[in-house]
Amino acid sequence: EYGDVWFRKENKLWMIKETVHYVFHFEPNSIDAKEIDKIAEGVEKRFAQIIRCLHVPKGNELGVDGFKINCFLHTEPQNAGQVVGSGVDYGAPMRGEHMRHEECHAIVKKLLGEAPALFNEGFGSYLVELSRTSQPPAINTSVLSALGKKELLSLRSIIKTNDFWRAYNERKVDVYQIGCSFVAYL
């Protein structure tokens, strides 16, 4: 289970808890250490939802042969939620729905490799919206409004990852909403 297994990263000692699909790394005596079973249960439920949404066949043996995703649960807030190598780093405030978004990235990367940002960020946003409403998200109203005003960026202009992030940094339109709408359309 966990308790006597340690891992060293960033000159820290980490406790480890392993589940079917994840290896959690957390600091001893942290809030995460006290709640690791609850965190692990929630993440495994989200994993199942993400896999269902991706239509991964049930016969696939996910969780064996190295599919496990490393999750580092940091106590400092500066380690924002991000996919790093074969895992996900979460800073102290990054829990719950933000974890779902980042987990989507890690799972997509494990299954398919590096996906274009339009799909990758859109899929993460789509799953967060799905969890809030229990209904598949529709095309976002602000995206429809921008489309009606002819202010919407074309998919062609943001399909490449660099172009997506350039548009995000220019903040013309929320490209996460465009990505979510694109995934809803798919």
Side-chain angles (χ1 to χ4, degrees):
E1 284 274 329
Y2 59 93
D4 59 347
V5 180
W6 297 82
F7 179 85
R8 186 174 292 279
K9 179 184 177 193
E10 299 172 357
N11 296 320
K12 293 181 188 178
L13 291 175
W14 298 82
M15 294 181 76
I16 295 176
K17 173 165 176 78
E18 198 165 334
T19 67
V20 175
H21 302 106
Y22 292 87
V23 178
F24 294 94
H25 307 269
F26 53 98
E27 297 176 48
N29 304 317
S30 66
I31 293 172
D32 294 323
K34 294 177 181 94
E35 297 186 6
I36 193 63
D37 292 326
K38 182 179 173 184
I39 292 168
E41 182 181 321
V43 170
E44 283 291 340
K45 285 181 183 176
R46 290 192 300 269
F47 180 89
Q49 181 193 35
I50 293 165
I51 292 301
R52 276 192 311 274
C53 193
L54 286 170
H55 300 286
V56 174
K58 287 186 180 186
N60 273 11
E61 292 298 321
L62 301 176
V64 296
D65 298 330
F67 187 84
K68 292 189 186 248
I69 296 170
N70 286 301
C71 285
F72 287 88
L73 303 171
H74 296 272
T75 57
E76 304 87 24
Q78 69 267 23
N79 295 81
Q82 56 188 347
V83 175
V84 180
S86 66
V88 184
D89 278 359
Y90 295 113
M94 301 297 187
R95 299 294 190 261
E97 293 311 311
H98 189 83
M99 287 178 80
R100 179 186 313 270
H101 183 95
E102 299 304 326
E103 289 158 7
C104 287
H105 299 332
I107 292 167
V108 166
K109 187 174 183 178
K110 284 279 193 178
L111 288 172
L112 307 170
E114 202 65 47
L118 177 66
F119 176 80
N120 210 9
E121 299 302 338
F123 183 65
S125 298
Y126 178 87
L127 260 290
V128 168
E129 289 298 315
L130 181 64
S131 72
R132 289 180 183 152
T133 63
S134 300
Q135 299 293 322
I139 295 175
N140 188 288
T141 55
S142 64
V143 171
L144 286 173
S145 174
L147 180 63
K149 296 176 187 175
K150 300 192 186 304
E151 297 172 352
L152 187 65
L153 297 171
S154 71
L155 290 179
R156 181 173 290 183
S157 72
I158 58 173
I159 194 75
K160 293 182 181 172
T161 295
N162 288 341
D163 296 334
F164 179 92
W165 292 117
R166 186 178 307 112
Y168 172 78
N169 289 328
E170 292 171 1
R171 303 235 187 233
K172 291 180 180 175
V173 175
D174 187 347
V175 288
Y176 278 77
Q177 291 177 355
I178 294 172
C180 181
S181 295
F182 176 66
V183 170
Y185 172 76
L186 293 177

